[in-house]
Amino acid sequence: MMGDCASRRATKEFVDREIGRIADQLDEREETPRALVERMGEFGLLRGELDPKWGGFEDPTRDFGFLCREVGRASMSLLSLLTVHGMVGKAIELWGSQEQKARWLKSMAQGQEIGSFALTEPLIGSDATHVQTNLRKEGSGFILNGTKKWISYGALADLFLVFARIDSQPVAVLVPATSEGIDIRPISGMLGFRASMMAEISFSDVVLEESSIIGRVGFGISMVALSALDLGRFAIAQGSLGLGLACLESALAHATSRKQFDKPLREHQLIQGLLTEIDCSYTCARLLCLEAERLRSEGDPAAMIETAKAKYVTSNMADLVSDRTVQILGALGCSAEMSAQRYYRDARLTRIIEGSDQMQQMMIAQNMVVPGRG
């Protein structure tokens, strides 16, 4: 059980050994080897938030949150794998037919097949209700046409959860990557998350069976996408917390060992100010993340908004503390000798993916209430 201290310790050791040790190399090469994904699956890192009956954890939310923090501390690119793979699995669990669940969930929990979340298009980002990808009825099945872009692990996935429109109604469909008519073009040179195997995917007259639809027509965005994105926000919040911890560790280690003017950096007042910003920002974000995790685990209706708050605050925390870490490390922090420059680049993307800062602000403001006085 992941909740067991020994199991969590073993997980931390696995993540440090298999991911953290080579994270900078993966970032430089802009790839995640399939062999690494297979080892992660065998160890149990790709179960997402699935119920135990599908191969998930006994405490799905808390264990998934722990995994996201640990993997995010090592590599935000690999955190992206946990995110999109988990989102597809959760969507199937919540909205899929029994046949779809039986076909995909156990193999996904074991990491034997990888899912990717295909929502964003070249001209459509946050305005998901207006996707242009089209599904049309033909005979006993459907024909899918359209293009998706910025799809994390699109170049590695075995299954795409694709959002389209049919007769002006939103729909979600499961599309195996081996389907005829799919063209996958890897995207390189991104600011951050460089090892996340991002791709642009075109669907040209892809033939699908009626059983490919997940949920039902009309539910594509309001139910399937939003529930998956809620999990995505949770994963990015927890992963950003892990990234914040990596920054804190790096900054403090350097400030302790590095001497200037005959004393360690951490004894200089201005450096103490930067360290304080890092420590306090991280601590506040951690409390918000753990509260969102608790509410989500308990099935509290307030969990969705608290998760949005956690995603907003924690991604901004990661952006701030990565900046302060580079400042403390100086030229070293800007070089390939240290992971700090990767932290800095990755942190900036957390404020965009799975819902931008502005989308979180809208959601939070529209649901604001005055808290009770304790």
Side-chain angles (χ1 to χ4, degrees), residues 236-281:
I236 294 299
Q238 300 289 352
S240 296
L241 190 63
L243 175 57
L245 179 58
C247 290
L248 175 57
E249 292 171 337
S250 179
L252 188 57
H254 183 78
T256 301
S257 62
R258 173 78 162 169
K259 286 188 176 182
Q260 291 290 283
F261 305 101
D262 298 322
K263 61 181 180 181
L265 282 179
R266 67 179 299 175
E267 293 183 15
H268 293 273
Q269 286 186 345
L270 293 178
I271 299 299
Q272 290 174 346
L274 295 176
L275 289 171
T276 299
E277 276 191 286
I278 293 173
D279 190 19
C280 291
S281 297

Side-chain angles (χ1 to χ4, degrees), residues 32-34 37 81 114 116 152-160 177 184 196-197 199:
T32 300
R34 187 78 192 203
V37 176
L81 173 61
I114 300 302
S116 184
S152 297
Y153 284 94
L156 190 72
D158 301 291
L159 175 69
F160 298 111
I184 300 173
S196 64
M197 308 290 285

Side-chain angles (χ1 to χ4, degrees), residues 12-322:
K12 291 182 179 184
E13 291 172 356
F14 177 90
V15 171
D16 286 343
R17 180 180 68 251
E18 299 290 336
I19 301 175
R21 182 177 57 84
I22 62 171
D24 288 337
Q25 299 172 33
L26 300 181
D27 180 82
E28 183 178 356
R29 295 201 301 262
E30 300 192 35
E31 68 171 356
T32 300
R34 187 78 192 203
L36 173 57
V37 176
E38 291 173 355
R39 290 197 299 274
M40 291 171 66
E42 290 168 0
F43 194 81
L45 299 190
L46 297 176
R47 304 187 220 183
E49 202 188 31
L50 294 176
D51 188 271
K53 69 180 178 182
W54 302 115
F57 296 109
E58 290 298 321
D59 192 349
T61 297
R62 288 192 169 93
D63 287 338
F64 182 58
F66 166 76
L67 279 183
C68 289
R69 293 191 295 274
E70 288 303 312
V71 174
R73 176 179 169 273
S75 167
M76 288 301 284
S77 289
L78 272 295
L79 181 276
S80 184
L81 173 61
L82 268 63
T83 302
V84 296
H85 180 70
M87 290 165 72
V88 176
K90 192 66 176 180
I92 296 173
E93 182 181 50
L94 289 175
W95 302 104
S97 65
Q98 289 304 313
E99 291 75 18
Q100 289 168 337
K101 294 176 185 179
R103 166 63 184 89
W104 295 106
L105 290 185
K106 289 189 176 180
S107 66
M108 290 181 68
Q110 295 168 7
Q112 296 172 349
E113 295 177 293
I114 300 302
S116 184
F117 189 79
L119 175 61
T120 305
E121 298 180 355
L123 299 178
I124 299 294
S126 298
D127 188 9
T129 58
H130 288 85
V131 293
Q132 297 175 352
T133 297
N134 179 64
L135 187 72
R136 76 171 189 271
K137 182 72 175 174
E138 185 164 300
S140 60
F142 298 92
I143 302 295
L144 179 69
N145 283 282
T147 299
K148 299 294 182 178
K149 195 169 185 178
W150 318 119
I151 306 305
S152 297
Y153 284 94
L156 190 72
D158 301 291
L159 175 69
F160 298 111
L161 175 56
V162 180
F163 295 88
R165 299 190 70 79
I166 181 170
D167 298 328
S168 299
Q169 294 191 77
V171 63
V173 288
L174 296 171
V175 185
T178 54
S179 303
E180 187 174 348
I182 297 180
D183 180 36
I184 300 173
R185 297 178 295 281
I187 297 173
S188 61
M190 294 296 291
L191 174 66
F193 286 62
R194 287 183 174 175
S196 64
M197 308 290 285
M198 198 169 287
E200 180 173 342
I201 306 160
S202 293
F203 304 94
S204 180
D205 292 332
V206 177
V207 178
L208 299 174
E209 298 179 359
E210 189 167 356
S211 59
S212 298
I213 292 179
I214 181 169
R216 63 180 177 84
V217 172
F219 275 26
I221 301 300
S222 61
M223 298 296 182
V224 182
L226 291 188
S227 58
L229 287 168
D230 180 47
L231 180 63
R233 288 190 291 269
F234 178 76
I236 294 299
Q238 300 289 352
S240 296
L241 190 63
L243 175 57
L245 179 58
C247 290
L248 175 57
E249 292 171 337
S250 179
L252 188 57
H254 183 78
T256 301
S257 62
R258 173 78 162 169
K259 286 188 176 182
Q260 291 290 283
F261 305 101
D262 298 322
K263 61 181 180 181
L265 282 179
R266 67 179 299 175
E267 293 183 15
H268 293 273
Q269 286 186 345
L270 293 178
I271 299 299
Q272 290 174 346
L274 295 176
L275 289 171
T276 299
E277 276 191 286
I278 293 173
D279 190 19
C280 291
S281 297
Y282 170 78
T283 300
C284 291
R286 179 177 180 274
L287 294 173
L288 191 54
C289 277
L290 294 180
E291 175 66 0
E293 179 179 283
R294 181 187 69 81
L295 293 171
R296 186 177 181 88
S297 180
E298 294 174 357
D300 193 304
M304 181 173 287
I305 296 303
E306 293 305 309
T307 297
K309 292 180 185 178
K311 196 274 183 185
Y312 174 69
V313 169
T314 310
S315 60
N316 277 269
M317 175 276 295
D319 197 20
L320 182 145
V321 303
S322 64

